[in-house]
Amino acid sequence: MATGNGAIHTKRTPAGNRASAHRSVSDRLGRQTKEVTKDLRELGEIAKDAAEEKLGQLRENAAEYCEEGQDTLKHVQRSVEQYIGERPLKSILIAAGVGLLLGRFWMRR
């Protein structure tokens, strides 16, 4: 309570009540800490599950891209084999020309 001269008087509690109040606060703090710990563990599990799900999606996408790349490579290989089969002399001359150019560039380094 406040008095006319601005001094504030507080009510003093016996030592037993203070110890009881302290335990009550400690108990509440302990319970709250356990709840927060539990919530953090649950959040960690959710984050882990989300990461695993995203990783699975990435693996699927990577597998699809890999298959597409292999299909494209096989198509290119068949096209080159067909071209060589249809024009063997021209293919040999092109390969020799490319080899000569690469050899010259390699020697300049």
Side-chain angles (χ1 to χ4, degrees), residues 40-55:
L40 287 173
R41 284 188 181 133
E42 288 178 16
L43 283 173
E45 287 295 320
I46 292 169
K48 176 185 156 201
D49 292 343
E52 287 176 349
E53 182 178 319
K54 194 64 172 174
L55 182 62

Side-chain angles (χ1 to χ4, degrees), residues 15-33:
N17 286 346
R18 275 188 268 157
S20 169
H22 180 63
R23 271 187 301 224
S24 174
V25 170
S26 294
D27 291 342
R28 284 186 7 218
L29 183 60
R31 284 192 306 268
Q32 189 65 38
T33 302

Side-chain angles (χ1 to χ4, degrees), residues 39-96:
D39 290 344
L40 287 173
R41 284 188 181 133
E42 288 178 16
L43 283 173
E45 287 295 320
I46 292 169
K48 176 185 156 201
D49 292 343
E52 287 176 349
E53 182 178 319
K54 194 64 172 174
L55 182 62
Q57 291 173 352
L58 289 172
R59 282 184 182 148
E60 289 175 10
N61 290 344
E64 289 174 12
Y65 286 129
C66 184
E67 287 176 18
E68 288 176 14
Q70 288 174 344
D71 291 343
T72 303
L73 187 60
K74 288 177 185 177
H75 178 70
V76 168
Q77 181 182 359
R78 278 184 293 223
S79 297
V80 169
E81 287 173 354
Q82 182 181 358
Y83 184 84
I84 291 171
E86 292 172 358
R87 300 171 187 90
L89 183 60
K90 190 174 183 179
S91 299
I92 290 173
L93 291 174
I94 290 173

Side-chain angles (χ1 to χ4, degrees), residues 97-109:
V98 169
L100 259 166
L101 287 174
L102 289 176
R104 286 194 179 247
F105 286 128
W106 189 273
M107 295 302 277
R108 287 187 183 179
R109 286 185 171 199

